[in-house]
Amino acid sequence: MPYSTQEKKQALVRVRRIGGQLDALAQALEQEADCGAVLQQIAAIRGAVNGLMGEVLESHLRASFMPPTAKPISPADAAALEQTIALLRTYLK
């Protein structure tokens, strides 16, 4: 779950955008659109969902390993966290 108000707003905007993409996909299927266009829309939806998952996962990792009330983590741990987040973002693309 996004923890800050700004992260929550961004997540909701993404979810609404994905909802619009799903509606467009349903309409394309109802209108028997070309397979290429349908596949392109599905790929766009998958990318949007993966992007949302990446944002929520990053927020969770940062809140878990760098909570504002805890003592700061070491530079090495901070670098490891950043590498992990970068790796996950690459995987989710």
Side-chain angles (χ1 to χ4, degrees), residues 62-63 66-71:
R62 290 189 188 285
M66 298 174 67
T69 58
K71 66 178 183 173

Side-chain angles (χ1 to χ4, degrees), residues 34-86:
D34 180 61
C35 286
V38 169
L39 289 169
Q40 185 176 13
Q41 186 67 27
I42 292 169
I45 293 166
R46 181 181 59 188
V49 169
N50 283 345
L52 174 62
M53 186 172 14
E55 297 243 341
V56 172
L57 184 55
E58 180 178 346
S59 176
H60 173 71
L61 289 171
R62 290 189 188 285
S64 296
F65 294 102
M66 298 174 67
T69 58
K71 66 178 183 173
I73 62 175
S74 71
D77 287 344
L81 177 60
E82 293 303 322
Q83 286 178 331
T84 302
I85 289 169

Side-chain angles (χ1 to χ4, degrees), residues 14 51 54-56 58 84-93:
R14 280 180 174 262
E55 297 243 341
V56 172
E58 180 178 346
T84 302
I85 289 169
L87 178 65
L88 288 169
R89 285 198 167 274
T90 300
Y91 176 75
L92 292 172
K93 282 188 177 180

Side-chain angles (χ1 to χ4, degrees), residues 11-44:
L12 288 171
V13 166
R14 280 180 174 262
V15 167
R16 289 184 185 113
R17 189 177 308 131
I18 292 167
Q21 289 176 310
L22 287 169
D23 290 342
L25 176 61
Q27 186 177 14
L29 291 172
E30 287 171 356
Q31 296 175 354
E32 298 180 7
D34 180 61
C35 286
V38 169
L39 289 169
Q40 185 176 13
Q41 186 67 27
I42 292 169

